[in-house]
Amino acid sequence: MPTSLISLAYPLILSSPSRYGSDDGDGDDGRLGDRRDIFTSHSTQLFDSARRYVQHFDRDGQILNLDSAITNYETGLRLRPYASFRTSFIHRELAKLYKRRFDWGDQTRDLHKAITNYEAAKRSSPSEFHDTVDSSELADLYGLCISREDRIYISDLDKAIMTMKAEMERLQKLDDRKPDYLFKLAHLHEQRFDRRDEILDVDQAIANQKAGLELLPDDSPQKPYQFFVLARLYEERFDKDESHGKSISGRNPAYIENAIISQKAGLELLPNDSAQKPNQLFELARMYERCLDGGDIRRRDTSDLNNAIANQKAGLELLPGDSPEKPDQFFVLAWLYEERYDKDESNSRSTSGRNSADLQNAIANQKAGLELLSNDSAQKPNQLLELARLYKRCSDGGDIRRRDNFGLDNAIAILTTGIELLPADSPEKSAQFFLLARLYEERFDKDESHGRSISRRNPADLEYAIANQKVGLELLPNDSSHKPNQLFELARLYKRCLDGNDIRHQDTSSLNHAIANQKAGLELLPDNSPQKPNHFFVLVRLYEERFDKDESNGRSNRWSIMWGRNTTDLQSAIANQKAGLELLPDDSAQRPGQLFELVRLYKRSSDAGDIRHWYNSSLDNAIANQKTGIELLPADSPERPDQLFFLARLYEERFGKDQSNGWSILRRNPADLENAIANQKAGIKLLSNDSAQKPDQLLELARLYERRLGDDHSWRRLGGPCHTPNLDNAIANRKAGLELLSDFDPQKLTQVSQLAHLYERRSSCKSPSHQLQDIKDVISNHKVALKLLPHGDPMKLNHLSELVRLRARLNELNDEVKQSLLRDL
């Protein structure tokens, strides 16, 4: 009967128990034996037909032949309702066919069918399984099943590992298959490590890989490859320590060192003409570089980098000239040279002491890699940008003198080329324009650092910087988080353009652009940005500088009262300073300093502009903010005394405004002068006795008391010229200040003369009996003045004539006192 007819008849045979007998044992034994013989005969024919189909498939590769073979094997197995050695063998053959169909069609279900049949072979004849089925084949199928992305089961790995271990126990020690089994078992443990991330699996993989290498003959062609696998496993074990949060110094360096040893052992066994050798040398170079980054090897030791560079160079020499990976390996070598150059820098060596040859070698290898890249390579723009960065570093340090712009010139040229090669819609194009702007600015600074005058610097570089910054900004969308900061950068460049180049100072166009870009950046910056207050303060400086430009240019303006300045800029500066202060938290360490800045601006607004002098609103605001700033300063702040002294000046100035605005002297507010004195005294109390400021501040306090004396018309409100407490305090503070002044201080002579004047003024307010001591003090101060004057100074005659006059006055007072005593008697 033809095989195809048997296959068709098989369902009918099974569905007709009345003809062939039943499965429950009814009927005589003869009929049952006949039925078994029929099934055995039919299954044998099916198996023979299946083998012929396999032969046809081997010859012509038609998948239909393989499908027919599988169908016939499966049909024949259904005709054998009992286990036998033959059944176990057919299951194994069927598993192999499913594996072949998986290799042809890459269908996961075929892989699972192959595993099912191998397991069925084991069940059908357990005692003879090891003689008929190779457990390593089953383990390989489990491994393939695991690697399939559509179905990954840890249970498959467990089964594969258990199967391989069972087979390992069966094998003899000197069995030739044992090394391969050990390598497969190591691979399975590595796969399970990738899934479960359990360190025990990678340890088991290392142990099995080492055991397999020990059994492998030295002349085995796979021994180098297995050494490379062991190196990879050691590196994974090293990474495991790192991934568990251990510090770099806490990682076990033995693992990475063993990885290097295994990699070197594999390389020694590879012939020089091996196609693998270059890549494995690159791997060894990478491992040496890792050994430097982490482990117990100190960063000052560059021996590992030396080895990495040597192996990378060796790999490049063996790599064919037309190898597509050669450019990348040149770029890696450039990076290694740069890292060794950085090691010199990180070892606290001086800039000139670094080995610039490494940086030059980095540039040379970067250029070599670029020469191998085609112009349309997607890598070329980025690698050109990298070369530009290396040239920039070459300009910053090394043995190239700062006066030589060779590095910067090349960096600018190469970066420009790299930008031209970038696609128009490249997201990194704007960032590269900003970098180019920085390079142009740096070259502009080089001119300044070379001792050239500001007018001799090359302004084109700064103008190119501005142009590239603007192009980069045009490429940035408005909602980009980078846009505000880059607008601030453009504002800063415009500000620099005004400070120094060939643009005249009376032209404020650059400041106008700086202000416009700073404002635009502030509008885009979120209100909750922590940097927003500082950018408001920058805008303040720009407005104030533009206000100063008007003053320095001497422009006339019919809307202004003093010097033709545009006071709108000063008002805008005040408004932005207040806006920045509103965004600062109350506990900010910046707040006191910025309040003092606002005070200074209000003070300037009071001094000049279109604000009339009789209107004290600016001084009022200045005083209020100065007081707030002082309250926020810590009690032990070293700047507290200075701020108190400045507050005293503000109070005095407001007191003076009343007088200078034509008010009646009697209507001046004495509280301002009293507040000035109080704050001056508070500041002096905070100064130590050895402070260099103390003498001057004591003399300043004496001056305030003298102002309080007023003149002949102010006695009703200020105490008058003979108000003894004011004179006493003025004299006391001037004496204290003089005691702290050095004899060589140029102002001491003036202060001595002033003190003499105060004593004489107080003497005129007393009766003759009380004038004697003051006149004596006047005489004493004139004597001190004579000692301070150099020999031959014409001022000495004046002091001598004053002494003659004072002695005559003293004699008169003595006579008056005597006559007064006689009258009393």
Side-chain angles (χ1 to χ4, degrees):
M1 183 184 291
T3 306
S4 59
L5 292 178
I6 294 174
S7 300
L8 292 172
Y10 170 66
L12 297 176
I13 295 171
L14 292 182
S15 62
S16 304
S18 59
R19 180 176 178 182
Y20 293 101
S22 63
D23 291 337
D24 57 5
D26 293 338
D28 55 37
D29 294 337
R31 292 178 61 190
L32 179 61
D34 292 342
R35 185 182 66 179
R36 287 181 176 176
D37 290 341
I38 291 171
F39 284 170
T40 301
S41 174
H42 289 174
S43 64
T44 301
Q45 293 179 39
L46 287 167
F47 296 152
D48 291 340
S49 177
R51 282 191 288 273
R52 287 194 294 273
Y53 276 121
V54 172
Q55 290 172 358
H56 291 317
F57 175 72
D58 290 338
R59 185 172 60 251
D60 55 25
Q62 293 291 326
I63 192 63
L64 291 175
N65 290 321
L66 192 60
D67 293 341
S68 298
I70 289 172
T71 302
N72 280 282
Y73 269 128
E74 288 181 337
T75 304
L77 279 171
R78 291 191 190 99
L79 293 174
R80 288 179 178 270
Y82 53 90
S84 70
F85 174 83
R86 181 74 172 170
T87 302
S88 174
F89 176 79
I90 296 302
H91 273 300
R92 184 186 180 196
E93 290 298 312
L94 192 56
K96 290 180 178 180
L97 294 178
Y98 272 117
K99 172 62 169 61
R100 293 186 72 178
R101 193 162 74 177
F102 166 75
D103 293 338
W104 188 89
D106 198 33
Q107 295 293 318
T108 308
R109 62 175 179 267
D110 291 329
L111 193 59
H112 286 224
K113 285 279 190 179
I115 291 173
T116 302
N117 279 280
Y118 265 122
E119 290 176 339
K122 181 179 178 180
R123 289 193 304 270
S124 63
S125 183
S127 61
E128 300 168 354
F129 174 71
H130 293 298
D131 294 332
T132 58
V133 179
D134 190 347
S135 295
S136 66
E137 294 176 4
L138 181 56
D140 287 341
L141 291 174
Y142 280 130
L144 283 171
C145 188
I146 293 157
S147 64
R148 303 292 292 169
E149 293 182 0
D150 55 348
R151 188 169 183 179
I152 298 174
Y153 293 122
I154 293 295
S155 60
D156 290 334
L157 270 172
D158 295 337
K159 289 177 184 177
I161 290 171
M162 289 175 61
T163 302
M164 287 301 299
K165 284 183 176 179
E167 185 67 10
M168 287 291 299
E169 292 175 359
R170 188 188 68 82
L171 289 176
Q172 298 295 325
K173 184 176 181 180
L174 299 179
D175 195 309
D176 292 339
R177 292 177 294 173
K178 196 158 189 176
D180 290 335
Y181 281 26
L182 284 164
F183 297 143
K184 288 179 181 179
L185 187 56
H187 178 63
L188 290 171
H189 275 294
E190 185 183 9
Q191 284 186 300
R192 192 163 72 177
F193 167 72
D194 292 338
R195 304 292 191 278
R196 290 180 175 173
D197 199 34
E198 292 181 0
I199 202 165
L200 181 62
D201 279 318
V202 73
D203 288 338
Q204 287 288 334
I206 290 170
N208 284 289
Q209 191 72 15
K210 286 174 68 178
L213 277 164
E214 289 174 2
L215 295 175
L216 204 63
D218 290 337
D219 57 351
S220 171
Q222 64 168 320
K223 194 156 190 174
Y225 170 75
Q226 298 301 340
F227 269 118
F228 301 146
V229 171
L230 181 59
R232 187 187 71 239
L233 290 172
Y234 273 122
E235 189 176 9
E236 284 184 19
R237 184 65 177 83
F238 178 72
D239 289 334
K240 189 64 177 175
D241 285 347
E242 184 178 13
S243 64
H244 286 165
K246 297 183 181 179
S247 65
I248 292 177
S249 58
R251 286 182 294 171
N252 187 355
Y255 293 122
I256 197 70
E257 290 167 4
N258 284 331
I260 289 171
I261 292 168
S262 298
Q263 189 73 13
K264 289 170 73 176
L267 278 164
E268 288 174 2
L269 296 174
L270 273 182
N272 287 332
D273 57 352
S274 170
Q276 289 189 54
K277 192 144 191 175
N279 288 328
Q280 296 304 333
L281 282 165
F282 299 146
E283 273 297 296
L284 181 57
R286 186 186 59 78
M287 288 177 184
Y288 271 119
E289 196 277 327
R290 290 209 64 189
C291 191
L292 181 74
D293 287 343
D296 63 347
I297 299 172
R298 297 182 180 178
R299 292 186 64 86
R300 292 182 64 91
D301 183 8
T302 57
S303 60
D304 289 303
L305 265 177
N306 299 340
N307 286 320
I309 290 169
N311 284 284
Q312 188 73 15
K313 288 171 68 178
L316 274 164
E317 289 172 3
L318 294 175
L319 209 59
D322 57 351
S323 172
E325 63 178 307
K326 196 155 191 174
D328 289 333
Q329 298 304 334
F330 270 117
F331 300 145
V332 171
L333 183 56
W335 174 71
L336 290 172
Y337 272 119
E338 185 184 13
E339 189 161 344
R340 190 166 70 179
Y341 174 77
D342 288 333
K343 292 295 175 188
D344 289 342
E345 184 176 14
S346 64
N347 291 340
S348 301
R349 299 182 187 177
S350 65
T351 303
S352 59
R354 287 180 293 172
N355 185 2
S356 59
D358 285 333
L359 202 52
Q360 299 300 325
N361 284 327
I363 290 171
N365 282 282
Q366 188 73 16
K367 289 169 73 175
L370 278 164
E371 288 173 2
L372 296 175
L373 283 180
S374 61
N375 288 332
D376 57 351
S377 169
Q379 276 189 284
K380 192 145 193 174
N382 289 328
Q383 296 302 335
L384 279 166
L385 303 177
E386 190 65 17
L387 180 58
R389 187 186 63 77
L390 290 172
Y391 271 118
K392 164 72 167 56
R393 292 208 64 188
C394 191
S395 172
D396 291 341
D399 60 353
I400 298 175
R401 297 181 181 178
R402 292 187 63 85
R403 292 182 62 89
D404 183 7
N405 284 336
F406 170 78
L408 272 176
D409 294 341
N410 281 290
I412 289 170
I414 291 165
L415 185 56
T416 304
T417 305
I419 290 173
E420 290 171 359
L421 291 176
L422 280 175
D425 57 351
S426 172
E428 62 177 306
K429 196 158 190 173
S430 57
Q432 299 306 329
F433 272 113
F434 298 143
L435 177 59
L436 186 55
R438 297 295 81 72
L439 292 176
Y440 274 118
E441 183 186 12
E442 187 161 342
R443 193 165 70 178
F444 175 75
D445 288 333
K446 292 286 184 183
D447 291 340
E448 184 177 13
S449 65
H450 295 161
R452 301 179 186 177
S453 66
I454 292 175
S455 59
R456 290 183 60 194
R457 286 182 294 173
N458 184 3
D461 284 334
L462 203 51
E463 290 163 7
Y464 285 137
I466 290 171
N468 282 283
Q469 187 74 13
K470 289 168 73 175
V471 173
L473 277 164
E474 289 172 5
L475 295 174
L476 276 183
N478 286 331
D479 57 352
S480 169
S481 59
H482 297 290
K483 192 145 193 174
N485 288 329
Q486 296 304 332
L487 281 164
F488 299 145
E489 270 297 297
L490 182 56
R492 187 185 62 78
L493 289 172
Y494 271 120
K495 167 69 169 57
R496 290 210 65 188
C497 193
L498 182 72
D499 290 342
N501 58 26
D502 62 348
I503 299 174
R504 296 182 181 178
H505 279 281
Q506 62 173 340
D507 181 8
T508 58
S509 61
S510 295
L511 265 178
N512 299 340
H513 288 303
I515 289 170
N517 283 284
Q518 189 73 13
K519 287 171 69 178
L522 276 165
E523 288 172 5
L524 293 176
L525 209 59
D527 289 336
N528 59 355
S529 171
Q531 58 175 322
K532 194 157 190 174
N534 289 328
H535 285 295
F536 268 117
F537 301 144
V538 171
L539 184 57
V540 169
R541 301 292 83 75
L542 293 173
Y543 272 120
E544 186 180 10
E545 186 158 346
R546 192 165 69 179
F547 174 75
D548 290 333
K549 292 294 175 187
D550 288 342
E551 181 178 13
S552 64
N553 292 336
R555 298 180 183 176
S556 63
N557 188 325
R558 64 192 181 93
W559 298 108
S560 61
I561 290 176
M562 288 189 66
W563 314 114
R565 289 175 292 176
N566 182 3
T567 55
T568 305
D569 286 334
L570 200 53
Q571 298 304 316
S572 295
I574 290 171
N576 282 283
Q577 186 73 13
K578 290 168 73 175
L581 277 164
E582 287 174 5
L583 294 176
L584 278 181
D586 291 337
D587 57 350
S588 170
Q590 278 187 279
R591 195 170 185 87
Q594 296 303 333
L595 280 165
F596 299 145
E597 271 298 297
L598 181 58
V599 169
R600 187 183 61 78
L601 291 170
Y602 273 123
K603 172 74 167 56
R604 289 206 69 182
S605 181
S606 172
D607 290 343
D610 59 353
I611 300 173
R612 295 184 180 178
H613 282 281
W614 57 266
Y615 183 50
N616 282 334
S617 64
S618 294
L619 273 175
D620 296 341
N621 284 316
I623 289 169
N625 284 284
Q626 185 73 8
K627 287 170 69 177
T628 304
I630 290 171
E631 288 171 4
L632 292 175
L633 278 177
D636 56 350
S637 172
E639 63 176 309
R640 195 177 182 93
D642 290 332
Q643 299 303 334
L644 285 165
F645 299 145
F646 187 68
L647 181 57
R649 297 296 81 71
L650 292 173
Y651 273 120
E652 184 187 9
E653 186 163 343
R654 191 165 70 178
F655 175 76
K657 291 287 183 184
D658 292 341
Q659 185 179 18
S660 64
N661 288 337
W663 290 22
S664 164
I665 293 173
L666 301 180
R667 292 181 61 192
R668 284 181 296 171
N669 184 4
D672 283 336
L673 202 51
E674 289 168 6
N675 284 327
I677 289 171
N679 282 282
Q680 188 71 15
K681 289 168 73 175
I684 289 171
K685 284 181 181 177
L686 296 176
L687 290 177
S688 59
N689 288 331
D690 57 352
S691 170
Q693 281 187 279
K694 195 154 191 175
D696 292 334
Q697 298 303 334
L698 283 166
L699 298 173
E700 190 65 19
L701 180 58
R703 188 186 61 78
L704 290 172
Y705 275 118
E706 290 172 36
R707 281 209 73 177
R708 200 174 180 192
L709 290 169
D711 54 22
D712 293 339
H713 303 286
S714 60
W715 58 271
R716 293 181 185 178
R717 298 293 299 275
L718 302 175
C722 291
H723 191 250
T724 306
N726 289 332
L727 271 171
D728 293 344
N729 284 316
I731 289 169
N733 282 284
R734 201 166 288 279
K735 280 180 68 179
L738 274 168
E739 289 173 2
L740 296 175
L741 280 179
S742 165
D743 289 341
F744 302 103
D745 194 300
Q747 63 171 324
K748 187 157 187 176
L749 180 62
T750 305
Q751 297 301 332
V752 168
S753 301
Q754 187 66 26
L755 182 58
H757 173 71
L758 287 173
Y759 275 123
E760 190 169 3
R761 185 173 180 178
R762 190 170 68 177
S763 70
S764 64
C765 299
K766 295 180 179 180
S767 62
S769 60
H770 292 91
Q771 291 181 30
L772 288 171
Q773 185 57 46
D774 284 337
I775 293 298
K776 290 177 181 178
D777 288 332
V778 176
I779 292 170
S780 175
N781 278 280
H782 277 291
K783 289 180 177 180
V784 172
L786 282 168
K787 290 180 180 178
L788 293 173
L789 285 169
H791 182 70
D793 193 302
M795 288 294 294
K796 277 197 169 187
L797 292 175
N798 293 336
H799 287 285
L800 287 170
S801 61
E802 280 295 306
L803 280 175
V804 171
R805 183 183 64 80
L806 289 169
R807 288 192 181 277
R809 176 62 180 156
L810 188 61
N811 291 332
E812 290 175 5
L813 287 173
N814 284 326
D815 292 341
E816 289 177 10
V817 169
K818 288 177 183 179
Q819 290 177 7
S820 177
L821 288 172
L822 289 172
R823 282 195 300 267
D824 292 341
L825 289 174

